[in-house]
Amino acid sequence: MDASGCPAFVRATAQDPPGLPNALEWAPAPAAAAVPVQLHVCPGGGHGIGLADGVEYGGEQHKFIAREPHTASWTTACAAWLRREGVLAD
């Protein structure tokens, strides 16, 4: 990765056995290449939650959303960050 890479918003949950370690290992790469990166680790949600919006995914509705509203807010945080980085228009 070099400085020409595009900004990276990385999201994982603390309850995701493969996702969290992978996110923690990968996130320093863009930073080391002077590429903007933001890492969010949500406290709950597990693995395979899709957009974390409660929509059925893999044949199962994700009922954790009511218990973990912070996890579901990552898309709003991502959009705001991408706007600040100039990737998304207002």
Side-chain angles (χ1 to χ4, degrees), residues 7 9 75-90:
F9 185 96
T75 55
T76 302
C78 180
W81 182 76
L82 290 171
R83 282 187 190 88
R84 284 192 307 273
E85 291 298 319
V87 176
L88 286 180
D90 286 326

Side-chain angles (χ1 to χ4, degrees), residues 8-68:
F9 185 96
V10 183
R11 189 240 344 153
T13 71
Q15 296 174 338
D16 183 354
L20 180 58
N22 289 338
L24 294 173
E25 187 172 329
W26 186 83
V35 172
V37 62
Q38 190 163 134
L39 171 64
H40 283 245
V41 178
C42 300
H47 183 73
I49 60 174
L51 293 175
D53 57 3
V55 173
E56 185 176 308
Y57 179 77
E60 178 180 330
Q61 187 173 16
H62 295 289
K63 297 180 176 100
F64 77 89
I65 297 301
R67 296 186 318 269
E68 300 287 352

